Every structure is written in structure tokens, then in C-alpha cells.
Amino acid sequence: MIEIKRYEAKEKELWDNFVKGSKNGVFFFLRDYMEYHSDRFEDHSLIFLKNNKPVALLPANRSGNTLFSHAGLTFGGIITNRKMKTSLMLQIFGSLKEYLKEGGFKKLFYKAIPHIYHLYPSEEDLYALFINNATLIKREVSSTIEMACKIPYSRNIRRNIKKVQDSRLSLKRSYDFSTFMLLKEEQLFKKYGLMPTHTALEMEYLAGKFPDNIKLFAAEQNGTMIGGMVIYENKNVIHAQYQEANELGMDLHVPSLLFDKLIKRYSEKKYFDFGISTENNGFYLNEGLIDFKERFGARSTVYDSYELNL
């Protein structure tokens, strides 16, 4: 039998240790990351136990009669270790459905962990979703380089890199998240009328909590930041969380320089992930944006979300 327990603060060490030893967990499943925006989300994370021992976790929050896994994270599916087997996952989903029904939930919104983040094959949950008649309702397309067998850059990208190298910009790790996020806010609002997911204060807080995982690299001209990139470093994936350049930075092809330098810097990782290029639940593809990423040799990885009616 699978017992389900709602996470409590006193179980922080148990939770974090399980994530660190899992086959598909990432650093932003750790409680110090998940709880930076606890004022915006009603946490309803779950611990699955068998014979009184944890066998899986689900980062989650409640909104009305829906359980989200997790609305405040890029993805948030069931976290498991190498002992997880398909039959056990089916038991977990059976117990989860009963738990949710008893708790007054009507739906489960499930954001699966993309396979590039798996340290070992971990798609037992996808089969359980299929068996339980879950519906794929969102498919976002990211662009990923597999570092061991990279596709060569396009001629255009090679030319841009040559131009920006000739401009002798300074490229270094920076801790000035305030300046970078202001640059990001200005450019994002100008282009799309939007604001970044994180504020400067949130990024400074998170980078302070996770200095080995969250890093800012800045391109400077005469000591002034004209572009930068925030990367999320996981065990086998480097993810470009934010990248931006002002008008001068764009004219100098700073984004091409940043991606090139960081792809080379992290060549020992398994994947370099550029992030998604879709909107409207995946139904709109930003062709200009994805074309830029694919010129580096990146190819598609999907981020899938499912809905399970109870």
C-alpha cells in the first residue's frame, strides 16, 4: 500500500536528501528554492511512502480544486530514485487519485520532467498518465544541444562570433543581478510588453542560496554591462534561464558570444538547453527565436503538461 503525506516544514531535510539522491530531481526542487515564492502559491507538496519509507515526491501547489505540479516551477513531476519501477508508479497514481478525490480536488495539472534532466530513465509517470487517461494539453518546444555530438554552428553564427570577438568585449561572471534584471525588464517590456518571471531581488536571493547552480555571466564594454545570461546549472544540464542585450549589445552580436562561450565552458555537461520558443500553450512557435537557437546546432526537446480529471 502507498501512503501519501502532505509535506510539512519539519520534513525539509528528508525532502532535500531525497531530491539530491533522485534519478530525475533538479536543484529547484529543493525547499529553499521552492519556498522563495511561498506567498504566491499554496504549497501542497506530497510525500509517497511504502512501508514507512519515502519512494517518491511531488512538488505541488493547490489552486481552487486543482493540484498543480508545480505552478511556480518550470516543471514539477514526480521525483523518484532508481528503485522506482513501473508497477510501483501505477500504485502511486492509484493512491494519488484517491487522495485527491478525498481532498476535494477535481483536476491534476501535471508538468512532466523533460527527459534531458533524467540521470537515469524516468518515464514511468508518463505511462501512468496514459493508463489513467490523462490528456496532453500543453507542449512547449525548447532547443537543446547534446554536447557529446554537437552539430556545427551555422555560417551566420560563426561570422557573428568573429565580429564580436574583434570588438574586445569583457566577458565574466558577475554578481550584479540588479543591473542585469533591469536590462532584462527594459528589453522584454519594449519587445513584448511583458515582465520577467523573477524580480532582481528574487534572483539575488536565489543566487545567494544556490551559488553553484545559478550564475550570471555579463558582457561589458568599458565597464558597462551591455548584455548577459543567467544560467541554471544542474547535474547534466545547463539551462539558459535568461539572456538579454541592449541595442548596442545586439549590434555587437553579444548573444552569439555569450552562447558560444558558455557552450564551450560547460562542454563536460551532457546537454545545453536554450529554453522554450513557444507561447499560447505551445500552439504559437516564435520562428525567429527558435531559428537563432537552431543555428547553434540545437534541436527540439519538448516540455509536456497533462491534465487528469478526477
Side-chain angles (χ1 to χ4, degrees), residues 143-145 147 229 238 240 259 262-263 270-274:
S143 301
T144 307
I145 292 173
M147 303 293 246
M229 184 183 300
I238 296 295
F259 278 117
L262 293 176
I263 289 166
K270 191 170 183 181
Y271 298 107
F272 189 100
D273 190 47
F274 285 70

Side-chain angles (χ1 to χ4, degrees), residues 63-128:
S63 180
N65 61 11
T66 301
L67 186 74
F68 289 87
S69 74
H70 179 298
L73 301 175
T74 307
F75 45 82
I78 291 178
I79 305 165
T80 68
N81 58 28
R82 294 191 182 201
K83 295 181 180 179
M84 178 56 61
K85 297 180 180 179
T86 305
S87 58
L88 178 57
M89 183 63 75
L90 292 177
Q91 293 176 43
I92 285 173
F93 264 78
S95 296
L96 176 59
K97 288 169 65 177
E98 292 303 313
Y99 171 90
L100 294 177
K101 288 176 184 177
E102 291 173 4
F105 291 94
K106 300 297 183 183
K107 291 182 181 180
L108 169 66
F109 187 90
Y110 189 95
K111 295 195 283 189
I113 302 170
H115 77 274
I116 60 173
Y117 290 91
H118 299 173
L119 298 180
Y120 201 79
S122 304
E123 295 185 344
E124 296 88 359
D125 59 338
L126 299 186
Y127 181 68

Side-chain angles (χ1 to χ4, degrees), residues 180 215-217 227-231 240 242-243 255 258-259 262 272:
F180 173 75
K215 300 174 183 178
L216 167 63
F217 293 90
M229 184 183 300
V230 174
I231 61 106
Y242 291 118
Q243 72 88 16
L258 286 165
F259 278 117
L262 293 176
F272 189 100

Side-chain angles (χ1 to χ4, degrees), residues 248-279:
L248 176 59
M250 293 300 293
D251 288 342
L252 294 174
H253 304 290
V254 163
S256 295
L257 175 69
L258 286 165
F259 278 117
D260 175 58
K261 294 296 185 183
L262 293 176
I263 289 166
K264 291 174 179 175
R265 180 187 181 102
Y266 291 103
S267 60
E268 81 286 355
K269 294 290 184 178
K270 191 170 183 181
Y271 298 107
F272 189 100
D273 190 47
F274 285 70
I276 65 170
S277 301
T278 48
E279 302 168 28

Side-chain angles (χ1 to χ4, degrees), residues 22-267:
S22 69
K23 64 174 181 170
N24 61 348
V26 294
F27 78 90
F28 52 76
F29 291 155
L30 299 174
R31 298 309 308 189
D32 281 340
Y33 190 102
M34 288 183 60
E35 291 167 8
Y36 86 88
H37 49 23
S38 58
D39 58 320
R40 302 202 296 270
F41 299 97
E42 179 188 347
D43 189 86
H44 202 105
S45 298
L46 301 175
I47 301 172
F48 300 89
L49 303 130
K50 186 171 185 178
N51 299 325
N52 294 317
K53 293 182 179 181
V55 293
L57 309 175
L58 179 63
N61 70 283
R62 180 170 193 159
S63 180
N65 61 11
T66 301
L67 186 74
F68 289 87
S69 74
H70 179 298
L73 301 175
T74 307
F75 45 82
I78 291 178
I79 305 165
T80 68
N81 58 28
R82 294 191 182 201
K83 295 181 180 179
M84 178 56 61
K85 297 180 180 179
T86 305
S87 58
L88 178 57
M89 183 63 75
L90 292 177
Q91 293 176 43
I92 285 173
F93 264 78
S95 296
L96 176 59
K97 288 169 65 177
E98 292 303 313
Y99 171 90
L100 294 177
K101 288 176 184 177
E102 291 173 4
F105 291 94
K106 300 297 183 183
K107 291 182 181 180
L108 169 66
F109 187 90
Y110 189 95
K111 295 195 283 189
I113 302 170
H115 77 274
I116 60 173
Y117 290 91
H118 299 173
L119 298 180
Y120 201 79
S122 304
E123 295 185 344
E124 296 88 359
D125 59 338
L126 299 186
Y127 181 68
L129 288 163
F130 167 73
I131 287 295
N132 286 280
N133 298 312
T135 303
L136 176 66
I137 61 168
K138 184 177 182 179
R139 170 163 282 173
E140 299 173 298
V141 178
S142 186
S143 301
T144 307
I145 292 173
E146 185 167 0
M147 303 293 246
C149 50
K150 294 193 291 289
I151 297 172
Y153 296 170
S154 72
R155 182 181 303 175
N156 174 269
I157 291 296
R158 294 197 304 270
R159 183 173 62 247
N160 290 347
I161 292 169
K162 178 64 167 59
K163 288 179 180 178
V164 73
Q165 286 173 338
D166 290 343
S167 64
R168 298 182 180 180
L169 295 177
S170 169
L171 179 63
K172 63 181 182 180
R173 184 174 180 183
S174 172
Y175 297 88
D176 188 1
F177 285 90
S178 179
T179 296
F180 173 75
M181 292 305 293
L182 178 60
L183 173 63
K184 181 66 182 176
E185 289 171 8
E186 291 174 346
Q187 296 301 314
L188 191 61
F189 189 80
K190 184 183 297 184
K191 295 174 187 174
Y192 305 108
L194 301 173
M195 295 295 286
T197 301
H198 300 91
T199 66
L201 286 176
E202 287 172 339
M203 288 307 306
E204 289 174 347
Y205 169 80
L206 291 170
K209 284 285 187 179
F210 300 96
D212 295 330
N213 303 102
I214 301 176
K215 300 174 183 178
L216 167 63
F217 293 90
E220 298 180 350
Q221 185 179 66
N222 300 322
T224 300
M225 188 185 302
I226 61 173
M229 184 183 300
V230 174
I231 61 106
Y232 276 21
E233 181 175 349
N234 293 283
K235 290 179 181 178
N236 60 346
V237 181
I238 296 295
H239 174 74
Q241 179 71 10
Y242 291 118
Q243 72 88 16
E244 194 54 81
N246 61 17
E247 287 80 1
L248 176 59
M250 293 300 293
D251 288 342
L252 294 174
H253 304 290
V254 163
S256 295
L257 175 69
L258 286 165
F259 278 117
D260 175 58
K261 294 296 185 183
L262 293 176
I263 289 166
K264 291 174 179 175
R265 180 187 181 102
Y266 291 103
S267 60

